[in-house]
Amino acid sequence: MVLLTNPIYSALSLGLVLVCISLFYILSNSHFVAAAQLFIYVGAINVLILFAVMFMNGSEYYKDFNLWTIGNGLTSLVCTSILVSLITTILDTSWYRIIWTTRSNQIIEQDLLSNSQQIGIHLAIDFFLPFEFISIILLVALIGAIVVDRQ
Amino acid sequence: MNSRSKRLIRSIFHIHRSSSMFLLYEYDIFWAFLIISNAIPILAFLISGVLAPIRKGPEKLSSYESGIEPMGDAWLQFRIRYYMFALVFVVFDVETVFLYPWAMSFDVLGVPVFIEAFIFVLILIVGSVYAWRKGALEWF
């Protein structure tokens, strides 16, 4: 939906695409990732993109809307090549082998726990150190963004 | 007698064993809620669009500003403060998403995990105090 004239409409259609991706996550029986996708991508990142789009002056974009500029052609070529390479890679990977080698039943009472509870247990026990590093990364991102803004 | 009448009712109304309405059956209530909550405003607008009388006038076409005369332009300059708020919100939203699975598995894990999550939140409180003192949370 990048062919829309108003860039705000394009940013909102990006939000729609991210909602549809979260529906795909629901189909794959990973409900926590779907909810996290809705929270973070649509709720936070899409709003950020929307605000970044609003910085540009919208009135200059309605006139002389040329669809086939050189930059547009190059970008569409790159995107199509990425799409084709992704499709061939996904079709060539044997997903069953990867799933069976990483399946581990070390969690207590695995069938009684829901999805997000399992994620919580894994996060707190197996990946405890990355969990703390995540907080430090978030802190660094916050401080960096504020320092950049102060100037 | 009861089972025979039940079988009769089933054959008449074609009720199957799994009576789910939509595709993802655990989300039945969710889809029903979504459809109803989308249908009610559409219905409200349709009914008022049909029943309300339409009389155009110069006063009706001007913009609404709480009863006074509208002053100034409708398009405001986008200030950087809005972007700062969205940025701070992104960071704390990611933190909240990480707190959800910890909260779901809180009763299975023990006290050490509680202390680890406390350290997590503490580091981010330090960040929020920094943002507060640097004036990133000012609205005016």
Coordinates of all heavy atoms in Angstrom, one line a residue, chain A residues 23 26-27 29 31-32 36 39-40 43-45 47-48 51-52 54-55 57 108 113-114 116-121 123-125 128 131-132 134-136 138-139 141-143 145-147 149-150, chain B residues 24 26-27 31 77-80 82-84 86-95 97-102 104-105 107-109 113 116-117 119-120 123-124 126-128 130-131 134-136:
Chain A
L23 N -2.3 -12.0 13.3 CA -3.3 -13.1 13.1 C -2.6 -14.4 12.6 O -3.0 -15.5 13.0 CB -4.3 -12.7 12.0 CG -5.2 -11.5 12.4 CD1 -6.2 -11.2 11.3 CD2 -6.0 -11.9 13.7
I26 N -1.5 -16.1 15.6 CA -2.6 -16.8 16.3 C -2.8 -18.2 15.7 O -3.0 -19.2 16.3 CB -3.8 -16.0 16.3 CG1 -3.6 -14.7 17.2 CG2 -5.0 -16.8 16.8 CD1 -4.9 -13.9 17.2
L27 N -2.7 -18.2 14.3 CA -2.9 -19.5 13.7 C -1.8 -20.5 14.0 O -2.0 -21.7 14.0 CB -2.9 -19.3 12.1 CG -4.2 -18.8 11.5 CD1 -4.0 -18.7 10.0 CD2 -5.3 -19.8 11.9
N29 N -0.6 -21.1 16.8 CA -0.8 -21.5 18.2 C 0.2 -20.8 19.1 O 0.7 -21.4 20.1 CB -0.6 -23.0 18.3 CG -1.2 -23.5 19.6 OD1 -2.1 -22.8 20.2 ND2 -0.8 -24.6 20.1
H31 N 0.0 -17.7 21.0 CA -0.9 -16.5 21.3 C -0.1 -15.4 22.0 O -0.5 -14.2 21.8 CB -2.0 -17.0 22.2 CG -2.7 -18.2 21.7 ND1 -3.4 -18.2 20.6 CD2 -2.7 -19.5 22.1 CE1 -3.9 -19.4 20.3 NE2 -3.5 -20.2 21.3
F32 N 0.9 -15.7 22.7 CA 1.7 -14.6 23.4 C 2.4 -13.8 22.4 O 2.4 -12.5 22.5 CB 2.7 -15.2 24.4 CG 3.5 -14.2 25.0 CD1 3.0 -13.3 26.0 CD2 4.8 -14.1 24.7 CE1 3.7 -12.3 26.5 CE2 5.6 -13.1 25.3 CZ 5.1 -12.2 26.2
A36 N 2.0 -9.9 21.8 CA 3.2 -9.0 21.9 C 3.4 -8.2 20.6 O 3.7 -7.1 20.6 CB 4.4 -9.9 22.1
F39 N 0.9 -5.4 20.7 CA 1.3 -4.4 21.6 C 2.5 -3.6 21.1 O 2.4 -2.3 21.0 CB 1.8 -5.0 23.0 CG 0.7 -5.2 24.0 CD1 0.6 -6.4 24.6 CD2 -0.1 -4.1 24.3 CE1 -0.4 -6.6 25.5 CE2 -1.0 -4.3 25.3 CZ -1.2 -5.5 25.9
I40 N 3.5 -4.3 20.7 CA 4.8 -3.5 20.4 C 4.7 -3.0 18.9 O 4.9 -1.8 18.7 CB 6.0 -4.4 20.5 CG1 6.1 -4.7 22.0 CG2 7.2 -3.8 20.0 CD1 7.3 -5.5 22.3
G43 N 1.1 -1.0 18.4 CA 0.9 0.0 19.4 C 2.0 1.0 19.5 O 1.7 2.2 19.7
A44 N 3.2 0.6 19.5 CA 4.3 1.5 19.7 C 5.0 1.9 18.5 O 5.2 3.1 18.2 CB 5.3 0.9 20.7
I45 N 5.5 0.9 17.7 CA 6.3 1.2 16.6 C 5.5 1.9 15.5 O 6.0 2.8 14.8 CB 7.0 -0.1 16.1 CG1 8.0 -0.5 17.2 CG2 7.8 0.1 14.8 CD1 8.8 -1.7 16.8
V47 N 2.9 3.8 15.9 CA 2.7 5.1 16.3 C 3.9 6.0 16.1 O 3.9 7.1 15.7 CB 2.3 5.1 17.8 CG1 2.2 6.5 18.3 CG2 0.9 4.5 17.9
L48 N 5.1 5.4 16.3 CA 6.4 6.1 16.1 C 6.5 6.4 14.7 O 6.9 7.6 14.3 CB 7.5 5.2 16.6 CG 8.7 5.9 17.1 CD1 8.4 6.7 18.3 CD2 9.8 4.8 17.5
F51 N 4.2 9.3 13.7 CA 4.7 10.6 14.2 C 5.9 11.0 13.3 O 6.0 12.2 13.0 CB 5.1 10.5 15.6 CG 4.0 10.5 16.6 CD1 4.2 10.5 17.9 CD2 2.7 10.6 16.1 CE1 3.1 10.5 18.8 CE2 1.6 10.7 17.0 CZ 1.9 10.6 18.4
A52 N 6.7 10.1 12.9 CA 7.8 10.5 12.0 C 7.3 10.9 10.7 O 7.9 11.8 10.0 CB 8.8 9.3 11.8
M54 N 4.4 12.3 10.2 CA 3.8 13.6 10.4 C 4.7 14.8 10.4 O 4.3 15.9 10.3 CB 3.0 13.6 11.7 CG 1.7 12.9 11.6 SD 0.8 13.0 13.1 CE -0.5 11.9 12.8
F55 N 6.0 14.5 10.6 CA 7.0 15.6 10.5 C 7.1 16.2 9.2 O 7.4 17.4 9.0 CB 8.4 15.1 11.0 CG 8.6 15.2 12.4 CD1 8.9 14.1 13.2 CD2 8.4 16.4 13.1 CE1 9.1 14.2 14.5 CE2 8.6 16.5 14.5 CZ 9.0 15.4 15.2
N57 N 5.9 17.7 5.6 CA 4.8 18.5 5.2 C 3.9 17.7 4.2 O 4.4 17.4 3.1 CB 5.2 19.8 4.6 CG 5.7 20.7 5.7 OD1 5.2 20.7 6.8 ND2 6.6 21.6 5.3
I108 N 8.8 -28.7 34.1 CA 7.8 -29.4 34.9 C 6.4 -29.2 34.4 O 6.0 -28.1 34.1 CB 8.0 -28.9 36.4 CG1 8.1 -27.4 36.4 CG2 9.2 -29.6 37.0 CD1 8.1 -26.9 37.8
L113 N 0.7 -26.2 31.5 CA 1.0 -24.7 31.5 C 0.6 -24.1 30.2 O 0.7 -24.8 29.1 CB 2.5 -24.5 31.7 CG 3.1 -25.1 32.9 CD1 4.6 -25.1 32.8 CD2 2.7 -24.4 34.1
S114 N 0.2 -22.9 30.2 CA -0.1 -22.2 28.9 C 1.1 -21.7 28.3 O 2.2 -21.8 28.8 CB -1.1 -21.1 29.2 OG -0.5 -20.0 29.8
S116 N 2.2 -18.6 27.5 CA 3.0 -17.5 28.0 C 3.7 -17.9 29.3 O 4.7 -17.4 29.7 CB 2.1 -16.3 28.2 OG 1.0 -16.7 28.9
Q117 N 3.1 -18.9 30.0 CA 3.7 -19.4 31.3 C 5.0 -20.1 30.9 O 6.0 -19.9 31.6 CB 2.8 -20.3 32.0 CG 1.7 -19.5 32.8 CD 0.8 -20.5 33.5 OE1 0.5 -21.6 33.0 NE2 0.3 -20.0 34.6
Q118 N 5.0 -20.9 29.8 CA 6.2 -21.5 29.5 C 7.3 -20.5 29.1 O 8.5 -20.7 29.4 CB 5.9 -22.5 28.3 CG 5.2 -23.7 28.7 CD 5.0 -24.6 27.6 OE1 5.5 -24.4 26.5 NE2 4.2 -25.7 27.8
I119 N 6.9 -19.5 28.3 CA 7.8 -18.5 27.9 C 8.4 -17.8 29.2 O 9.6 -17.6 29.3 CB 7.2 -17.4 27.0 CG1 6.9 -18.0 25.7 CG2 8.0 -16.2 26.8 CD1 6.2 -17.1 24.7
G120 N 7.5 -17.6 30.2 CA 8.0 -16.9 31.4 C 9.0 -17.8 32.1 O 10.1 -17.3 32.6
I121 N 8.8 -19.1 32.2 CA 9.7 -20.0 32.9 C 11.0 -20.0 32.1 O 12.1 -19.9 32.8 CB 9.1 -21.4 33.0 CG1 7.9 -21.3 34.0 CG2 10.1 -22.4 33.5 CD1 7.2 -22.6 34.1
L123 N 12.3 -17.8 30.2 CA 12.9 -16.5 30.3 C 13.6 -16.3 31.6 O 14.7 -15.8 31.7 CB 11.8 -15.4 30.1 CG 12.3 -14.1 29.7 CD1 13.0 -14.1 28.4 CD2 11.1 -13.2 29.6
A124 N 13.0 -16.8 32.7 CA 13.5 -16.5 34.0 C 14.6 -17.5 34.4 O 15.5 -17.2 35.1 CB 12.4 -16.6 35.0
I125 N 14.6 -18.7 33.9 CA 15.6 -19.7 34.3 C 16.7 -19.9 33.3 O 17.8 -19.8 33.6 CB 14.8 -21.1 34.7 CG1 13.9 -20.8 35.8 CG2 15.8 -22.1 35.0 CD1 13.2 -22.1 36.2
F128 N 18.3 -16.2 32.0 CA 18.2 -15.1 33.0 C 19.1 -14.0 32.7 O 18.7 -12.8 32.8 CB 18.5 -15.7 34.4 CG 19.0 -14.7 35.4 CD1 18.2 -13.6 35.8 CD2 20.3 -14.8 35.9 CE1 18.7 -12.7 36.7 CE2 20.8 -13.9 36.8 CZ 20.0 -12.8 37.2
F131 N 17.9 -11.7 30.1 CA 16.8 -10.9 30.6 C 17.3 -9.6 31.3 O 16.8 -8.5 31.0 CB 16.1 -11.8 31.6 CG 14.8 -11.3 32.2 CD1 13.8 -11.0 31.3 CD2 14.6 -11.1 33.5 CE1 12.6 -10.5 31.8 CE2 13.4 -10.6 34.0 CZ 12.4 -10.3 33.1
E132 N 18.4 -9.7 32.1 CA 18.9 -8.5 32.7 C 19.6 -7.6 31.6 O 19.5 -6.4 31.7 CB 19.9 -8.9 33.8 CG 19.4 -9.8 34.8 CD 18.1 -9.2 35.5 OE1 18.1 -8.0 35.7 OE2 17.3 -9.9 35.9
I134 N 18.6 -7.2 28.7 CA 17.5 -6.5 28.0 C 17.2 -5.3 28.7 O 17.0 -4.2 28.1 CB 16.3 -7.5 27.9 CG1 16.5 -8.5 26.8 CG2 15.1 -6.7 27.6 CD1 15.5 -9.5 26.8
S135 N 17.2 -5.3 30.0 CA 16.8 -4.1 30.7 C 17.9 -3.0 30.5 O 17.6 -1.9 30.4 CB 16.6 -4.4 32.2 OG 17.9 -4.6 32.8
I136 N 19.2 -3.5 30.5 CA 20.3 -2.5 30.3 C 20.2 -1.9 28.9 O 20.4 -0.7 28.7 CB 21.6 -3.2 30.6 CG1 21.7 -3.5 32.0 CG2 22.8 -2.3 30.2 CD1 23.0 -4.2 32.5
L138 N 17.5 -1.5 27.1 CA 16.4 -0.6 27.1 C 16.8 0.7 27.7 O 16.4 1.8 27.3 CB 15.2 -1.2 27.8 CG 14.4 -2.3 27.0 CD1 13.3 -2.9 27.8 CD2 13.8 -1.6 25.7
L139 N 17.5 0.6 28.8 CA 18.0 1.8 29.5 C 18.9 2.6 28.6 O 18.7 3.9 28.5 CB 18.7 1.4 30.8 CG 19.3 2.5 31.6 CD1 18.1 3.2 32.3 CD2 20.3 2.0 32.6
A141 N 19.0 2.6 25.3 CA 18.2 3.2 24.3 C 17.4 4.4 24.7 O 17.4 5.4 24.0 CB 17.2 2.1 23.7
L142 N 16.9 4.4 25.9 CA 16.1 5.5 26.5 C 17.0 6.7 26.7 O 16.7 7.8 26.2 CB 15.5 5.1 27.8 CG 14.5 6.1 28.5 CD1 13.4 6.3 27.6 CD2 14.1 5.5 29.8
I143 N 18.2 6.5 27.3 CA 19.1 7.6 27.6 C 19.7 8.1 26.3 O 19.8 9.3 26.1 CB 20.2 7.1 28.5 CG1 19.7 6.8 29.9 CG2 21.3 8.1 28.6 CD1 20.7 6.3 30.8
A145 N 18.2 8.2 23.3 CA 17.2 8.9 22.6 C 17.0 10.3 23.3 O 16.8 11.3 22.6 CB 15.8 8.2 22.6
I146 N 17.0 10.3 24.6 CA 16.8 11.6 25.3 C 18.0 12.5 25.1 O 17.9 13.7 24.9 CB 16.6 11.4 26.8 CG1 15.3 10.7 26.9 CG2 16.6 12.7 27.6 CD1 15.0 10.3 28.3
V147 N 19.3 12.0 25.1 CA 20.4 12.8 24.8 C 20.4 13.4 23.4 O 20.8 14.5 23.2 CB 21.7 11.9 25.1 CG1 22.9 12.6 24.4 CG2 21.9 11.8 26.5
D149 N 17.8 14.1 21.8 CA 16.8 15.1 21.7 C 17.2 16.4 22.3 O 16.8 17.5 21.9 CB 15.5 14.6 22.3 CG 14.5 15.7 22.4 OD1 14.1 16.1 21.3 OD2 14.1 16.1 23.5
R150 N 18.1 16.3 23.3 CA 18.4 17.5 24.1 C 19.2 18.6 23.3 O 19.2 19.8 23.6 CB 19.3 17.2 25.3 CG 18.5 16.6 26.5 CD 17.5 17.5 27.0 NE 16.1 17.2 26.6 CZ 15.1 18.0 26.7 NH1 15.3 19.2 27.2 NH2 13.9 17.6 26.4
Chain B
L24 N -11.3 -20.6 14.3 CA -10.5 -20.9 15.5 C -11.4 -21.0 16.7 O -11.9 -19.9 17.2 CB -9.5 -19.7 15.7 CG -8.4 -19.6 14.6 CD1 -7.7 -18.3 14.8 CD2 -7.5 -20.8 14.7
E26 N -11.3 -21.7 19.8 CA -11.2 -21.1 21.2 C -11.4 -19.6 21.2 O -11.5 -19.0 22.2 CB -9.8 -21.4 21.7 CG -8.9 -22.1 20.7 CD -7.5 -22.3 21.3 OE1 -7.3 -23.2 22.1 OE2 -6.6 -21.4 21.0
Y27 N -11.4 -19.0 20.0 CA -11.6 -17.6 19.9 C -13.0 -17.3 19.5 O -13.3 -16.2 19.1 CB -10.6 -17.0 18.8 CG -9.2 -16.8 19.3 CD1 -8.3 -17.8 19.4 CD2 -8.8 -15.5 19.7 CE1 -7.1 -17.7 19.8 CE2 -7.5 -15.3 20.1 CZ -6.6 -16.4 20.2 OH -5.4 -16.2 20.6
W31 N -14.4 -13.6 18.5 CA -14.9 -13.2 17.2 C -16.3 -12.6 17.3 O -16.7 -11.7 16.7 CB -15.0 -14.4 16.2 CG -13.7 -15.0 15.9 CD1 -13.4 -16.3 15.8 CD2 -12.4 -14.3 15.5 NE1 -12.1 -16.5 15.5 CE2 -11.5 -15.4 15.3 CE3 -12.0 -13.0 15.4 CZ2 -10.2 -15.1 14.9 CZ3 -10.7 -12.8 15.0 CH2 -9.8 -13.8 14.8
Q77 N 1.4 23.0 13.9 CA 2.8 22.5 13.6 C 3.1 21.3 14.5 O 2.8 21.4 15.7 CB 3.8 23.7 13.9 CG 5.2 23.2 13.8 CD 5.6 22.7 12.4 OE1 5.0 23.2 11.4 NE2 6.5 21.8 12.3
F78 N 3.6 20.3 14.0 CA 3.8 19.1 14.8 C 5.1 19.3 15.6 O 6.1 19.6 15.1 CB 4.1 17.9 13.8 CG 4.1 16.6 14.5 CD1 2.9 16.0 14.9 CD2 5.3 15.9 14.7 CE1 2.9 14.8 15.5 CE2 5.3 14.7 15.3 CZ 4.1 14.1 15.7
R79 N 4.9 19.2 16.9 CA 6.0 19.5 17.8 C 6.8 18.3 18.1 O 6.3 17.2 18.1 CB 5.5 20.2 19.1 CG 4.7 21.4 18.8 CD 4.8 22.4 19.9 NE 4.1 21.9 21.1 CZ 2.9 22.3 21.4 NH1 2.2 23.0 20.5 NH2 2.3 21.8 22.5
I80 N 8.1 18.5 18.5 CA 9.0 17.3 18.7 C 8.6 16.6 20.0 O 9.0 15.5 20.2 CB 10.4 17.8 18.7 CG1 11.4 16.5 18.5 CG2 10.8 18.5 19.9 CD1 12.3 16.7 17.5
Y82 N 5.8 15.5 20.9 CA 5.0 14.4 20.7 C 5.8 13.1 20.4 O 5.6 12.0 20.8 CB 4.0 14.6 19.5 CG 3.1 15.8 19.7 CD1 2.7 16.5 18.6 CD2 2.8 16.3 20.9 CE1 1.9 17.6 18.7 CE2 2.0 17.4 21.1 CZ 1.5 18.1 20.0 OH 0.8 19.2 20.1
Y83 N 6.9 13.4 19.6 CA 7.7 12.3 19.2 C 8.5 11.7 20.4 O 8.7 10.5 20.5 CB 8.7 12.7 18.1 CG 9.5 11.6 17.5 CD1 8.9 10.8 16.6 CD2 10.8 11.3 17.9 CE1 9.5 9.7 16.0 CE2 11.4 10.3 17.3 CZ 10.8 9.5 16.4 OH 11.5 8.4 15.8
M84 N 8.9 12.6 21.3 CA 9.6 12.2 22.5 C 8.7 11.3 23.4 O 9.2 10.3 23.9 CB 10.0 13.4 23.4 CG 11.1 14.2 22.8 SD 12.5 13.1 22.3 CE 12.9 12.4 23.9
A86 N 6.2 9.4 22.3 CA 6.1 8.1 21.7 C 7.3 7.3 21.9 O 7.2 6.1 22.1 CB 5.8 8.3 20.2
L87 N 8.5 7.9 21.9 CA 9.8 7.1 22.0 C 9.8 6.6 23.4 O 10.2 5.4 23.6 CB 10.9 8.1 21.8 CG 12.2 7.5 21.3 CD1 11.9 6.8 20.0 CD2 13.2 8.6 21.2
V88 N 9.5 7.4 24.5 CA 9.6 6.9 25.8 C 8.5 5.8 26.0 O 8.8 4.8 26.7 CB 9.3 8.1 26.8 CG1 9.1 7.6 28.2 CG2 10.5 9.0 26.7
F89 N 7.4 5.9 25.3 CA 6.4 4.9 25.4 C 6.8 3.6 24.8 O 6.5 2.5 25.4 CB 5.1 5.4 24.7 CG 4.1 4.3 24.6 CD1 3.4 3.8 25.8 CD2 3.8 3.7 23.4 CE1 2.5 2.8 25.7 CE2 2.9 2.7 23.4 CZ 2.2 2.2 24.5
V90 N 7.6 3.6 23.7 CA 8.1 2.4 23.1 C 8.9 1.6 24.1 O 8.7 0.4 24.3 CB 8.8 2.7 21.8 CG1 9.5 1.4 21.3 CG2 7.9 3.2 20.8
V91 N 9.8 2.3 24.8 CA 10.8 1.6 25.7 C 10.0 1.0 26.8 O 10.2 -0.2 27.1 CB 11.8 2.6 26.2 CG1 12.7 2.0 27.2 CG2 12.7 3.1 25.0
F92 N 9.1 1.7 27.4 CA 8.3 1.1 28.5 C 7.3 0.1 28.1 O 7.0 -0.8 28.9 CB 7.7 2.3 29.3 CG 8.7 3.0 30.1 CD1 9.1 4.3 29.8 CD2 9.4 2.4 31.2 CE1 10.1 4.9 30.5 CE2 10.3 3.0 31.9 CZ 10.7 4.3 31.6
D93 N 6.9 0.2 26.9 CA 6.0 -0.9 26.3 C 6.7 -2.2 26.2 O 6.2 -3.3 26.5 CB 5.4 -0.4 25.0 CG 4.1 -1.2 24.7 OD1 3.5 -1.6 25.6 OD2 3.8 -1.2 23.5
V94 N 8.0 -2.1 25.7 CA 8.8 -3.3 25.6 C 9.0 -3.9 26.9 O 9.0 -5.1 27.1 CB 10.1 -3.0 24.8 CG1 11.0 -4.2 24.8 CG2 9.8 -2.6 23.4
E95 N 9.3 -3.1 27.9 CA 9.5 -3.6 29.3 C 8.2 -4.3 29.8 O 8.3 -5.3 30.4 CB 9.8 -2.4 30.2 CG 9.8 -2.8 31.6 CD 9.8 -1.6 32.6 OE1 9.9 -0.5 32.1 OE2 9.9 -1.8 33.8
V97 N 5.9 -5.8 28.0 CA 5.7 -7.1 27.4 C 6.6 -8.1 28.0 O 6.3 -9.3 28.1 CB 6.0 -6.9 25.8 CG1 6.2 -8.2 25.2 CG2 4.8 -6.3 25.2
F98 N 7.8 -7.7 28.4 CA 8.7 -8.7 29.1 C 8.2 -9.0 30.5 O 8.5 -10.1 31.0 CB 10.1 -8.2 29.2 CG 10.9 -8.4 28.0 CD1 11.2 -7.4 27.1 CD2 11.2 -9.7 27.6 CE1 11.9 -7.7 26.0 CE2 11.9 -10.0 26.5 CZ 12.3 -9.0 25.7
L99 N 7.4 -8.1 31.1 CA 6.9 -8.5 32.4 C 5.7 -9.4 32.4 O 5.4 -10.1 33.4 CB 6.5 -7.2 33.2 CG 7.6 -6.4 33.7 CD1 7.1 -5.2 34.5 CD2 8.4 -7.2 34.7
Y100 N 5.0 -9.5 31.2 CA 3.8 -10.3 31.2 C 4.1 -11.8 31.4 O 3.4 -12.4 32.2 CB 3.1 -10.1 29.9 CG 2.1 -9.0 29.9 CD1 2.2 -8.0 28.9 CD2 1.2 -8.8 30.8 CE1 1.3 -6.9 28.9 CE2 0.3 -7.8 30.8 CZ 0.4 -6.8 29.9 OH -0.4 -5.8 29.9
P101 N 5.1 -12.4 30.7 CA 5.3 -13.9 30.9 C 5.8 -14.2 32.3 O 5.5 -15.2 32.9 CB 6.3 -14.3 29.9 CG 6.9 -13.1 29.4 CD 6.0 -12.0 29.6
W102 N 6.6 -13.2 32.9 CA 7.0 -13.4 34.2 C 5.9 -13.4 35.2 O 5.8 -14.2 36.1 CB 8.0 -12.3 34.6 CG 8.3 -12.2 36.1 CD1 9.0 -13.1 36.8 CD2 7.8 -11.3 37.0 NE1 9.1 -12.7 38.1 CE2 8.3 -11.6 38.3 CE3 7.0 -10.1 36.9 CZ2 8.0 -10.9 39.4 CZ3 6.7 -9.4 38.0 CH2 7.3 -9.8 39.3
M104 N 2.8 -14.3 34.4 CA 2.0 -15.5 34.2 C 2.6 -16.7 35.0 O 1.9 -17.6 35.4 CB 1.9 -15.8 32.8 CG 1.1 -14.9 32.0 SD -0.6 -15.1 32.3 CE -0.9 -16.7 31.6
S105 N 3.9 -16.8 35.1 CA 4.6 -18.0 35.7 C 5.1 -17.7 37.0 O 6.0 -18.3 37.5 CB 5.7 -18.4 34.8 OG 6.6 -17.4 34.6
D107 N 3.7 -18.0 40.0 CA 3.4 -18.9 41.1 C 4.3 -20.2 41.0 O 4.5 -20.9 42.0 CB 1.9 -19.3 41.2 CG 1.4 -19.7 39.8 OD1 2.2 -19.6 38.9 OD2 0.2 -20.1 39.8
V108 N 4.7 -20.5 39.8 CA 5.5 -21.7 39.6 C 7.0 -21.5 40.0 O 7.6 -22.3 40.6 CB 5.4 -22.2 38.1 CG1 6.2 -23.5 38.0 CG2 4.0 -22.3 37.7
L109 N 7.5 -20.3 39.7 CA 8.8 -20.0 40.0 C 8.9 -19.5 41.5 O 7.9 -19.3 42.1 CB 9.3 -18.8 39.1 CG 9.2 -19.1 37.6 CD1 9.3 -17.8 36.8 CD2 10.2 -20.1 37.1
V113 N 13.6 -15.7 41.3 CA 13.1 -15.1 40.1 C 12.4 -13.8 40.3 O 12.5 -12.8 39.6 CB 12.2 -16.1 39.3 CG1 11.7 -15.5 38.0 CG2 12.9 -17.4 39.1
E116 N 15.1 -11.3 40.6 CA 15.7 -10.9 39.3 C 14.7 -10.0 38.5 O 15.2 -9.0 37.9 CB 15.8 -12.2 38.5 CG 16.9 -13.1 39.0 CD 16.8 -14.5 38.5 OE1 15.9 -14.7 37.6 OE2 17.5 -15.4 39.0
A117 N 13.5 -10.2 38.6 CA 12.5 -9.3 37.9 C 12.5 -8.0 38.6 O 12.3 -6.9 38.0 CB 11.1 -9.9 37.9
I119 N 15.1 -6.6 39.9 CA 16.3 -5.9 39.4 C 16.0 -5.3 38.0 O 16.4 -4.1 37.7 CB 17.5 -6.8 39.3 CG1 17.9 -7.3 40.7 CG2 18.7 -6.2 38.6 CD1 19.0 -8.3 40.7
F120 N 15.3 -6.1 37.2 CA 14.9 -5.6 35.8 C 14.1 -4.3 35.9 O 14.4 -3.3 35.3 CB 14.1 -6.8 35.2 CG 13.6 -6.5 33.8 CD1 14.4 -6.6 32.8 CD2 12.2 -6.2 33.6 CE1 13.9 -6.4 31.5 CE2 11.7 -6.0 32.4 CZ 12.6 -6.1 31.3
I123 N 16.2 -1.3 37.1 CA 17.1 -0.6 36.1 C 16.2 0.3 35.3 O 16.6 1.4 34.9 CB 17.8 -1.7 35.3 CG1 18.8 -2.4 36.2 CG2 18.5 -1.1 34.2 CD1 19.5 -3.5 35.5
L124 N 15.0 -0.1 35.0 CA 14.2 0.7 34.1 C 13.6 1.9 34.9 O 13.3 2.9 34.3 CB 13.1 -0.1 33.4 CG 13.8 -0.9 32.3 CD1 12.9 -2.0 31.8 CD2 14.1 0.0 31.1
V126 N 15.3 3.5 37.0 CA 16.5 4.4 36.9 C 16.3 5.2 35.6 O 16.5 6.4 35.6 CB 17.8 3.7 37.0 CG1 18.9 4.6 36.6 CG2 18.0 3.2 38.4
G127 N 16.0 4.5 34.5 CA 15.9 5.2 33.2 C 14.7 6.1 33.2 O 14.8 7.2 32.7
S128 N 13.6 5.8 33.9 CA 12.5 6.7 33.9 C 12.8 7.9 34.7 O 12.3 9.0 34.4 CB 11.2 6.0 34.4 OG 11.1 6.1 35.8
Y130 N 15.7 9.3 35.1 CA 16.6 10.1 34.2 C 15.8 10.8 33.2 O 16.0 12.0 33.0 CB 17.6 9.1 33.5 CG 18.5 9.9 32.6 CD1 19.6 10.5 33.0 CD2 18.2 9.9 31.2 CE1 20.4 11.2 32.1 CE2 19.0 10.6 30.3 CZ 20.1 11.2 30.8 OH 20.9 11.9 29.9
A131 N 14.8 10.2 32.6 CA 13.9 10.9 31.6 C 13.1 12.0 32.3 O 12.9 13.0 31.7 CB 13.0 9.9 30.9
K134 N 15.5 14.9 33.0 CA 16.0 15.6 31.9 C 14.9 16.4 31.1 O 15.1 16.9 30.1 CB 16.7 14.6 30.9 CG 18.0 14.2 31.3 CD 19.0 15.4 31.2 CE 20.4 14.9 31.7 NZ 21.3 16.0 31.6
G135 N 13.7 16.3 31.6 CA 12.6 17.0 31.0 C 12.0 16.4 29.8 O 11.4 17.1 29.0
A136 N 12.2 15.1 29.6 CA 11.6 14.5 28.4 C 10.1 14.2 28.6 O 9.4 13.9 27.7 CB 12.3 13.1 28.1

